[in-house]
mmCIF file of all heavy atoms in Angstrom:
data_model
loop_
_atom_site.group_PDB
_atom_site.id
_atom_site.type_symbol
_atom_site.label_atom_id
_atom_site.label_comp_id
_atom_site.label_asym_id
_atom_site.label_seq_id
_atom_site.Cartn_x
_atom_site.Cartn_y
_atom_site.Cartn_z
ATOM 1 N N LEU A 3 -44.465 20.241 -20.883
ATOM 2 C CA LEU A 3 -45.905 20.094 -20.777
ATOM 3 C C LEU A 3 -46.388 19.014 -21.722
ATOM 4 O O LEU A 3 -46.696 19.262 -22.873
ATOM 5 C CB LEU A 3 -46.597 21.416 -21.086
ATOM 6 C CG LEU A 3 -46.467 22.483 -20.020
ATOM 7 C CD1 LEU A 3 -47.284 23.682 -20.404
ATOM 8 C CD2 LEU A 3 -46.888 21.973 -18.670
ATOM 9 N N PRO A 93 -58.418 33.447 -25.758
ATOM 10 C CA PRO A 93 -57.099 34.067 -25.978
ATOM 11 C C PRO A 93 -57.091 35.573 -25.694
ATOM 12 O O PRO A 93 -56.088 36.114 -25.232
ATOM 13 C CB PRO A 93 -56.808 33.761 -27.454
ATOM 14 C CG PRO A 93 -57.607 32.538 -27.745
ATOM 15 C CD PRO A 93 -58.875 32.716 -26.967
ATOM 16 N N VAL A 96 -57.009 35.976 -21.887
ATOM 17 C CA VAL A 96 -55.674 35.628 -21.410
ATOM 18 C C VAL A 96 -54.709 36.785 -21.675
ATOM 19 O O VAL A 96 -53.845 37.088 -20.852
ATOM 20 C CB VAL A 96 -55.180 34.332 -22.075
ATOM 21 C CG1 VAL A 96 -53.716 34.069 -21.726
ATOM 22 C CG2 VAL A 96 -56.036 33.147 -21.639
ATOM 23 N N ALA A 97 -54.880 37.441 -22.812
ATOM 24 C CA ALA A 97 -54.034 38.600 -23.130
ATOM 25 C C ALA A 97 -54.201 39.706 -22.091
ATOM 26 O O ALA A 97 -53.234 40.350 -21.691
ATOM 27 C CB ALA A 97 -54.363 39.120 -24.528
ATOM 28 N N LYS A 98 -55.452 39.919 -21.640
ATOM 29 C CA LYS A 98 -55.694 40.942 -20.615
ATOM 30 C C LYS A 98 -54.981 40.588 -19.315
ATOM 31 O O LYS A 98 -54.360 41.443 -18.668
ATOM 32 C CB LYS A 98 -57.193 41.091 -20.374
ATOM 33 C CG LYS A 98 -57.970 41.679 -21.539
ATOM 34 C CD LYS A 98 -59.454 41.734 -21.228
ATOM 35 C CE LYS A 98 -60.255 42.231 -22.430
ATOM 36 N NZ LYS A 98 -61.724 42.233 -22.149
ATOM 37 N N ILE A 99 -55.077 39.318 -18.941
ATOM 38 C CA ILE A 99 -54.410 38.879 -17.714
ATOM 39 C C ILE A 99 -52.894 39.012 -17.846
ATOM 40 O O ILE A 99 -52.208 39.502 -16.942
ATOM 41 C CB ILE A 99 -54.801 37.424 -17.395
ATOM 42 C CG1 ILE A 99 -56.289 37.338 -17.081
ATOM 43 C CG2 ILE A 99 -53.984 36.879 -16.221
ATOM 44 C CD1 ILE A 99 -56.821 35.932 -17.020
ATOM 45 N N TYR A 100 -52.373 38.595 -18.987
ATOM 46 C CA TYR A 100 -50.935 38.705 -19.244
ATOM 47 C C TYR A 100 -50.489 40.170 -19.149
ATOM 48 O O TYR A 100 -49.470 40.485 -18.518
ATOM 49 C CB TYR A 100 -50.636 38.137 -20.625
ATOM 50 C CG TYR A 100 -49.193 38.238 -21.064
ATOM 51 C CD1 TYR A 100 -48.266 37.246 -20.732
ATOM 52 C CD2 TYR A 100 -48.755 39.316 -21.832
ATOM 53 C CE1 TYR A 100 -46.951 37.329 -21.154
ATOM 54 C CE2 TYR A 100 -47.438 39.407 -22.247
ATOM 55 C CZ TYR A 100 -46.545 38.410 -21.910
ATOM 56 O OH TYR A 100 -45.228 38.500 -22.318
ATOM 57 N N ASN A 101 -51.253 41.060 -19.742
ATOM 58 C CA ASN A 101 -50.909 42.483 -19.697
ATOM 59 C C ASN A 101 -50.953 43.025 -18.272
ATOM 60 O O ASN A 101 -50.151 43.886 -17.896
ATOM 61 C CB ASN A 101 -51.853 43.275 -20.601
ATOM 62 C CG ASN A 101 -51.614 42.996 -22.075
ATOM 63 O OD1 ASN A 101 -50.530 42.569 -22.473
ATOM 64 N ND2 ASN A 101 -52.633 43.211 -22.899
ATOM 65 N N MET A 104 -47.776 41.999 -16.624
ATOM 66 C CA MET A 104 -46.681 42.869 -17.064
ATOM 67 C C MET A 104 -46.776 44.244 -16.389
ATOM 68 O O MET A 104 -45.765 44.818 -15.975
ATOM 69 C CB MET A 104 -46.715 43.034 -18.583
ATOM 70 C CG MET A 104 -46.473 41.751 -19.378
ATOM 71 S SD MET A 104 -44.877 40.968 -19.039
ATOM 72 C CE MET A 104 -45.433 39.472 -18.210
ATOM 73 N N LEU A 134 -42.277 31.884 -13.274
ATOM 74 C CA LEU A 134 -41.510 31.882 -14.518
ATOM 75 C C LEU A 134 -42.512 31.936 -15.666
ATOM 76 O O LEU A 134 -43.375 31.069 -15.782
ATOM 77 C CB LEU A 134 -40.652 30.621 -14.613
ATOM 78 C CG LEU A 134 -39.858 30.412 -15.905
ATOM 79 C CD1 LEU A 134 -38.852 31.540 -16.124
ATOM 80 C CD2 LEU A 134 -39.157 29.050 -15.880
ATOM 81 N N ILE A 135 -42.412 32.972 -16.507
ATOM 82 C CA ILE A 135 -43.324 33.137 -17.638
ATOM 83 C C ILE A 135 -42.530 32.998 -18.933
ATOM 84 O O ILE A 135 -41.526 33.683 -19.134
ATOM 85 C CB ILE A 135 -44.047 34.490 -17.588
ATOM 86 C CG1 ILE A 135 -44.941 34.545 -16.346
ATOM 87 C CG2 ILE A 135 -44.880 34.708 -18.862
ATOM 88 C CD1 ILE A 135 -45.708 35.840 -16.185
ATOM 89 N N ARG A 136 -43.015 32.088 -19.794
ATOM 90 C CA ARG A 136 -42.362 31.841 -21.074
ATOM 91 C C ARG A 136 -43.387 31.921 -22.198
ATOM 92 O O ARG A 136 -44.578 31.706 -21.984
ATOM 93 C CB ARG A 136 -41.700 30.460 -21.063
ATOM 94 C CG ARG A 136 -40.449 30.413 -20.197
ATOM 95 C CD ARG A 136 -39.973 29.007 -19.932
ATOM 96 N NE ARG A 136 -40.761 28.350 -18.896
ATOM 97 C CZ ARG A 136 -40.443 27.166 -18.379
ATOM 98 N NH1 ARG A 136 -39.378 26.508 -18.817
ATOM 99 N NH2 ARG A 136 -41.202 26.620 -17.442
ATOM 100 N N ARG A 137 -42.887 32.254 -23.418
ATOM 101 C CA ARG A 137 -43.775 32.377 -24.578
ATOM 102 C C ARG A 137 -43.247 31.568 -25.757
ATOM 103 O O ARG A 137 -42.054 31.254 -25.842
ATOM 104 C CB ARG A 137 -43.926 33.848 -25.002
ATOM 105 C CG ARG A 137 -44.833 34.644 -24.090
ATOM 106 C CD ARG A 137 -44.990 36.074 -24.540
ATOM 107 N NE ARG A 137 -45.774 36.204 -25.771
ATOM 108 C CZ ARG A 137 -46.376 37.331 -26.128
ATOM 109 N NH1 ARG A 137 -46.310 38.399 -25.356
ATOM 110 N NH2 ARG A 137 -47.044 37.393 -27.255
ATOM 111 N N GLN A 138 -44.164 31.280 -26.654
ATOM 112 C CA GLN A 138 -43.834 30.653 -27.928
ATOM 113 C C GLN A 138 -44.585 31.394 -29.022
ATOM 114 O O GLN A 138 -45.793 31.605 -28.915
ATOM 115 C CB GLN A 138 -44.248 29.184 -27.912
ATOM 116 C CG GLN A 138 -44.024 28.469 -29.241
ATOM 117 C CD GLN A 138 -44.397 27.002 -29.131
ATOM 118 O OE1 GLN A 138 -43.725 26.235 -28.459
ATOM 119 N NE2 GLN A 138 -45.486 26.612 -29.786
ATOM 120 N N SER A 139 -43.861 31.825 -30.051
ATOM 121 C CA SER A 139 -44.480 32.599 -31.123
ATOM 122 C C SER A 139 -43.998 32.078 -32.480
ATOM 123 O O SER A 139 -42.792 32.031 -32.738
ATOM 124 C CB SER A 139 -44.112 34.079 -30.985
ATOM 125 O OG SER A 139 -44.722 34.849 -31.981
ATOM 126 N N PRO A 140 -44.927 31.656 -33.343
ATOM 127 C CA PRO A 140 -46.361 31.548 -33.085
ATOM 128 C C PRO A 140 -46.661 30.349 -32.201
ATOM 129 O O PRO A 140 -45.857 29.410 -32.109
ATOM 130 C CB PRO A 140 -46.958 31.366 -34.483
ATOM 131 C CG PRO A 140 -45.866 30.667 -35.253
ATOM 132 C CD PRO A 140 -44.575 31.246 -34.725
ATOM 133 N N GLY A 141 -47.817 30.360 -31.559
ATOM 134 C CA GLY A 141 -48.195 29.250 -30.702
ATOM 135 C C GLY A 141 -48.756 28.087 -31.495
ATOM 136 O O GLY A 141 -49.283 28.260 -32.597
ATOM 137 N N ASP A 142 -48.617 26.890 -30.925
ATOM 138 C CA ASP A 142 -49.176 25.709 -31.585
ATOM 139 C C ASP A 142 -50.300 25.067 -30.776
ATOM 140 O O ASP A 142 -50.971 24.148 -31.243
ATOM 141 C CB ASP A 142 -48.087 24.675 -31.862
ATOM 142 C CG ASP A 142 -47.525 24.044 -30.588
ATOM 143 O OD1 ASP A 142 -47.830 24.532 -29.483
ATOM 144 O OD2 ASP A 142 -46.781 23.055 -30.700
ATOM 145 N N VAL A 149 -45.716 21.333 -28.302
ATOM 146 C CA VAL A 149 -44.382 21.895 -28.094
ATOM 147 C C VAL A 149 -44.478 22.977 -27.021
ATOM 148 O O VAL A 149 -45.276 23.908 -27.126
ATOM 149 C CB VAL A 149 -43.810 22.494 -29.393
ATOM 150 C CG1 VAL A 149 -42.450 23.129 -29.120
ATOM 151 C CG2 VAL A 149 -43.694 21.414 -30.458
ATOM 152 N N SER A 150 -43.674 22.857 -25.975
ATOM 153 C CA SER A 150 -43.752 23.777 -24.844
ATOM 154 C C SER A 150 -43.066 25.106 -25.138
ATOM 155 O O SER A 150 -42.040 25.157 -25.815
ATOM 156 C CB SER A 150 -43.114 23.143 -23.607
ATOM 157 O OG SER A 150 -43.798 21.975 -23.230
ATOM 158 N N ALA A 151 -43.633 26.170 -24.620
ATOM 159 C CA ALA A 151 -43.030 27.497 -24.738
ATOM 160 C C ALA A 151 -41.760 27.564 -23.898
ATOM 161 O O ALA A 151 -41.762 27.135 -22.741
ATOM 162 C CB ALA A 151 -44.028 28.565 -24.285
ATOM 163 N N GLU A 152 -40.687 28.117 -24.454
ATOM 164 C CA GLU A 152 -39.403 28.151 -23.753
ATOM 165 C C GLU A 152 -38.760 29.543 -23.723
ATOM 166 O O GLU A 152 -37.789 29.751 -23.003
ATOM 167 C CB GLU A 152 -38.425 27.169 -24.391
ATOM 168 C CG GLU A 152 -38.836 25.702 -24.271
ATOM 169 C CD GLU A 152 -38.851 25.191 -22.840
ATOM 170 O OE1 GLU A 152 -38.295 25.884 -21.957
ATOM 171 O OE2 GLU A 152 -39.421 24.114 -22.606
ATOM 172 N N GLU A 153 -39.254 30.504 -24.492
ATOM 173 C CA GLU A 153 -38.661 31.848 -24.479
ATOM 174 C C GLU A 153 -39.014 32.558 -23.170
ATOM 175 O O GLU A 153 -40.187 32.818 -22.887
ATOM 176 C CB GLU A 153 -39.177 32.677 -25.656
ATOM 177 C CG GLU A 153 -38.612 34.091 -25.687
ATOM 178 C CD GLU A 153 -39.297 34.998 -26.694
ATOM 179 O OE1 GLU A 153 -40.205 34.517 -27.410
ATOM 180 O OE2 GLU A 153 -38.939 36.187 -26.748
ATOM 181 N N VAL A 154 -38.017 32.867 -22.373
ATOM 182 C CA VAL A 154 -38.247 33.455 -21.053
ATOM 183 C C VAL A 154 -38.629 34.925 -21.187
ATOM 184 O O VAL A 154 -37.907 35.718 -21.795
ATOM 185 C CB VAL A 154 -37.009 33.311 -20.158
ATOM 186 C CG1 VAL A 154 -37.217 34.029 -18.824
ATOM 187 C CG2 VAL A 154 -36.690 31.835 -19.926
ATOM 188 N N ILE A 155 -39.774 35.260 -20.613
ATOM 189 C CA ILE A 155 -40.250 36.651 -20.581
ATOM 190 C C ILE A 155 -40.004 37.267 -19.217
ATOM 191 O O ILE A 155 -39.501 38.377 -19.100
ATOM 192 C CB ILE A 155 -41.746 36.718 -20.938
ATOM 193 C CG1 ILE A 155 -42.002 36.095 -22.319
ATOM 194 C CG2 ILE A 155 -42.237 38.166 -20.900
ATOM 195 C CD1 ILE A 155 -41.272 36.772 -23.455
ATOM 196 N N LEU A 156 -40.374 36.557 -18.164
ATOM 197 C CA LEU A 156 -40.133 37.015 -16.791
ATOM 198 C C LEU A 156 -39.676 35.827 -15.956
ATOM 199 O O LEU A 156 -40.355 34.802 -15.908
ATOM 200 C CB LEU A 156 -41.405 37.590 -16.169
ATOM 201 C CG LEU A 156 -41.813 39.021 -16.490
ATOM 202 C CD1 LEU A 156 -43.124 39.351 -15.777
ATOM 203 C CD2 LEU A 156 -40.728 40.007 -16.057
ATOM 204 N N ASP A 157 -38.553 35.987 -15.291
ATOM 205 C CA ASP A 157 -38.049 34.979 -14.372
ATOM 206 C C ASP A 157 -37.937 35.648 -13.002
ATOM 207 O O ASP A 157 -36.956 36.313 -12.693
ATOM 208 C CB ASP A 157 -36.686 34.473 -14.843
ATOM 209 C CG ASP A 157 -36.138 33.343 -13.981
ATOM 210 O OD1 ASP A 157 -36.593 33.201 -12.826
ATOM 211 O OD2 ASP A 157 -35.251 32.615 -14.461
ATOM 212 N N ILE A 184 -48.352 25.405 -16.523
ATOM 213 C CA ILE A 184 -49.457 25.373 -17.481
ATOM 214 C C ILE A 184 -49.199 26.319 -18.646
ATOM 215 O O ILE A 184 -48.542 27.350 -18.487
ATOM 216 C CB ILE A 184 -50.801 25.733 -16.794
ATOM 217 C CG1 ILE A 184 -51.986 25.418 -17.682
ATOM 218 C CG2 ILE A 184 -50.800 27.164 -16.313
ATOM 219 C CD1 ILE A 184 -52.230 23.956 -17.906
ATOM 220 N N GLU A 185 -49.684 25.953 -19.803
ATOM 221 C CA GLU A 185 -49.522 26.758 -21.016
ATOM 222 C C GLU A 185 -50.889 27.094 -21.597
ATOM 223 O O GLU A 185 -51.812 26.265 -21.560
ATOM 224 C CB GLU A 185 -48.689 25.975 -22.036
ATOM 225 C CG GLU A 185 -48.206 26.810 -23.200
ATOM 226 C CD GLU A 185 -47.038 26.131 -23.921
ATOM 227 O OE1 GLU A 185 -46.322 25.324 -23.274
ATOM 228 O OE2 GLU A 185 -46.849 26.397 -25.109
ATOM 229 N N MET A 186 -51.050 28.316 -22.152
ATOM 230 C CA MET A 186 -52.337 28.762 -22.674
ATOM 231 C C MET A 186 -52.150 29.686 -23.866
ATOM 232 O O MET A 186 -51.119 30.336 -24.008
ATOM 233 C CB MET A 186 -53.137 29.445 -21.570
ATOM 234 C CG MET A 186 -52.365 30.431 -20.726
ATOM 235 S SD MET A 186 -53.247 30.905 -19.224
ATOM 236 C CE MET A 186 -51.927 30.888 -18.006
ATOM 237 N N PRO A 187 -53.142 29.771 -24.749
ATOM 238 C CA PRO A 187 -53.043 30.625 -25.938
ATOM 239 C C PRO A 187 -53.327 32.085 -25.602
ATOM 240 O O PRO A 187 -54.076 32.393 -24.673
ATOM 241 C CB PRO A 187 -54.124 30.060 -26.862
ATOM 242 C CG PRO A 187 -55.161 29.529 -25.926
ATOM 243 C CD PRO A 187 -54.415 29.001 -24.729
ATOM 244 N N ILE A 188 -52.741 32.988 -26.397
ATOM 245 C CA ILE A 188 -52.905 34.419 -26.148
ATOM 246 C C ILE A 188 -52.931 35.157 -27.482
ATOM 247 O O ILE A 188 -52.123 34.892 -28.375
ATOM 248 C CB ILE A 188 -51.759 34.955 -25.249
ATOM 249 C CG1 ILE A 188 -51.884 36.461 -25.022
ATOM 250 C CG2 ILE A 188 -50.387 34.605 -25.825
ATOM 251 C CD1 ILE A 188 -50.869 37.004 -24.014
ATOM 252 N N PHE A 189 -53.879 36.084 -27.631
ATOM 253 C CA PHE A 189 -53.918 36.942 -28.809
ATOM 254 C C PHE A 189 -52.794 37.973 -28.743
ATOM 255 O O PHE A 189 -52.528 38.559 -27.696
ATOM 256 C CB PHE A 189 -55.255 37.684 -28.899
ATOM 257 C CG PHE A 189 -56.358 36.887 -29.532
ATOM 258 C CD1 PHE A 189 -57.677 37.027 -29.089
ATOM 259 C CD2 PHE A 189 -56.112 36.020 -30.584
ATOM 260 C CE1 PHE A 189 -58.701 36.307 -29.670
ATOM 261 C CE2 PHE A 189 -57.133 35.295 -31.175
ATOM 262 C CZ PHE A 189 -58.433 35.443 -30.714
ATOM 263 N N THR A 190 -52.116 38.180 -29.871
ATOM 264 C CA THR A 190 -51.110 39.235 -29.988
ATOM 265 C C THR A 190 -51.421 40.053 -31.238
ATOM 266 O O THR A 190 -52.345 39.745 -31.986
ATOM 267 C CB THR A 190 -49.699 38.635 -30.112
ATOM 268 O OG1 THR A 190 -49.572 37.997 -31.401
ATOM 269 C CG2 THR A 190 -49.438 37.614 -29.020
ATOM 270 N N ASP A 191 -50.632 41.094 -31.467
ATOM 271 C CA ASP A 191 -50.840 41.935 -32.645
ATOM 272 C C ASP A 191 -50.567 41.173 -33.940
ATOM 273 O O ASP A 191 -51.054 41.558 -35.010
ATOM 274 C CB ASP A 191 -49.931 43.170 -32.582
ATOM 275 C CG ASP A 191 -50.327 44.108 -31.465
ATOM 276 O OD1 ASP A 191 -51.493 44.036 -31.018
ATOM 277 O OD2 ASP A 191 -49.473 44.901 -31.032
ATOM 278 N N THR A 192 -49.792 40.102 -33.851
ATOM 279 C CA THR A 192 -49.403 39.380 -35.060
ATOM 280 C C THR A 192 -50.040 37.995 -35.187
ATOM 281 O O THR A 192 -49.775 37.284 -36.146
ATOM 282 C CB THR A 192 -47.870 39.219 -35.095
ATOM 283 O OG1 THR A 192 -47.442 38.522 -33.916
ATOM 284 C CG2 THR A 192 -47.184 40.578 -35.151
ATOM 285 N N GLY A 193 -50.854 37.608 -34.212
ATOM 286 C CA GLY A 193 -51.483 36.293 -34.286
ATOM 287 C C GLY A 193 -51.753 35.729 -32.921
ATOM 288 O O GLY A 193 -52.095 36.460 -31.985
ATOM 289 N N ILE A 194 -51.585 34.428 -32.789
ATOM 290 C CA ILE A 194 -51.828 33.747 -31.523
ATOM 291 C C ILE A 194 -50.548 33.076 -31.061
ATOM 292 O O ILE A 194 -49.994 32.226 -31.763
ATOM 293 C CB ILE A 194 -52.967 32.714 -31.642
ATOM 294 C CG1 ILE A 194 -54.266 33.408 -32.052
ATOM 295 C CG2 ILE A 194 -53.169 31.984 -30.315
ATOM 296 C CD1 ILE A 194 -55.437 32.467 -32.206
ATOM 297 N N ASP A 195 -50.069 33.476 -29.892
ATOM 298 C CA ASP A 195 -48.905 32.866 -29.264
ATOM 299 C C ASP A 195 -49.372 31.929 -28.157
ATOM 300 O O ASP A 195 -50.563 31.858 -27.853
ATOM 301 C CB ASP A 195 -47.989 33.932 -28.671
ATOM 302 C CG ASP A 195 -47.285 34.761 -29.732
ATOM 303 O OD1 ASP A 195 -47.446 34.442 -30.932
ATOM 304 O OD2 ASP A 195 -46.591 35.721 -29.364
ATOM 305 N N ASP A 196 -48.408 31.250 -27.549
ATOM 306 C CA ASP A 196 -48.667 30.470 -26.348
ATOM 307 C C ASP A 196 -47.901 31.093 -25.189
ATOM 308 O O ASP A 196 -46.761 31.549 -25.359
ATOM 309 C CB ASP A 196 -48.222 29.014 -26.509
ATOM 310 C CG ASP A 196 -49.066 28.253 -27.509
ATOM 311 O OD1 ASP A 196 -50.199 28.713 -27.803
ATOM 312 O OD2 ASP A 196 -48.609 27.208 -28.002
ATOM 313 N N VAL A 197 -48.511 31.113 -24.016
ATOM 314 C CA VAL A 197 -47.864 31.609 -22.801
ATOM 315 C C VAL A 197 -47.833 30.475 -21.785
ATOM 316 O O VAL A 197 -48.843 29.813 -21.554
ATOM 317 C CB VAL A 197 -48.612 32.816 -22.207
ATOM 318 C CG1 VAL A 197 -47.965 33.243 -20.898
ATOM 319 C CG2 VAL A 197 -48.615 33.972 -23.181
ATOM 320 N N ARG A 198 -46.690 30.275 -21.186
ATOM 321 C CA ARG A 198 -46.513 29.210 -20.189
ATOM 322 C C ARG A 198 -46.151 29.830 -18.841
ATOM 323 O O ARG A 198 -45.260 30.673 -18.756
ATOM 324 C CB ARG A 198 -45.410 28.261 -20.648
ATOM 325 C CG ARG A 198 -45.131 27.099 -19.703
ATOM 326 C CD ARG A 198 -44.012 26.266 -20.283
ATOM 327 N NE ARG A 198 -43.606 25.178 -19.402
ATOM 328 C CZ ARG A 198 -42.526 24.429 -19.597
ATOM 329 N NH1 ARG A 198 -41.743 24.678 -20.651
ATOM 330 N NH2 ARG A 198 -42.225 23.453 -18.760
ATOM 331 N N LEU A 199 -46.851 29.417 -17.808
ATOM 332 C CA LEU A 199 -46.626 29.944 -16.469
ATOM 333 C C LEU A 199 -46.276 28.792 -15.533
ATOM 334 O O LEU A 199 -47.001 27.795 -15.461
ATOM 335 C CB LEU A 199 -47.875 30.671 -15.968
ATOM 336 C CG LEU A 199 -47.770 31.391 -14.626
ATOM 337 C CD1 LEU A 199 -48.713 32.589 -14.593
ATOM 338 C CD2 LEU A 199 -48.102 30.459 -13.460
ATOM 339 N N THR A 200 -45.142 28.927 -14.831
ATOM 340 C CA THR A 200 -44.690 27.928 -13.864
ATOM 341 C C THR A 200 -44.500 28.618 -12.515
ATOM 342 O O THR A 200 -43.924 29.705 -12.439
ATOM 343 C CB THR A 200 -43.364 27.291 -14.304
ATOM 344 O OG1 THR A 200 -43.454 26.894 -15.673
ATOM 345 C CG2 THR A 200 -43.029 26.079 -13.456
#
Side-chain angles (χ1 to χ4, degrees):
L3 288 185
V96 172
K98 292 178 184 178
I99 295 169
Y100 177 87
N101 290 337
M104 296 301 112
L134 176 61
I135 296 180
R136 287 167 282 188
R137 284 181 70 159
Q138 176 177 291
S139 182
D142 68 350
V149 177
S150 298
E152 295 295 346
E153 179 190 358
V154 175
I155 303 300
L156 279 179
D157 184 340
I184 192 69
E185 192 162 335
M186 45 193 138
I188 178 174
F189 277 145
T190 70
D191 292 339
T192 58
I194 300 179
D195 290 355
D196 292 341
V197 176
R198 180 181 176 190
L199 185 151
T200 312

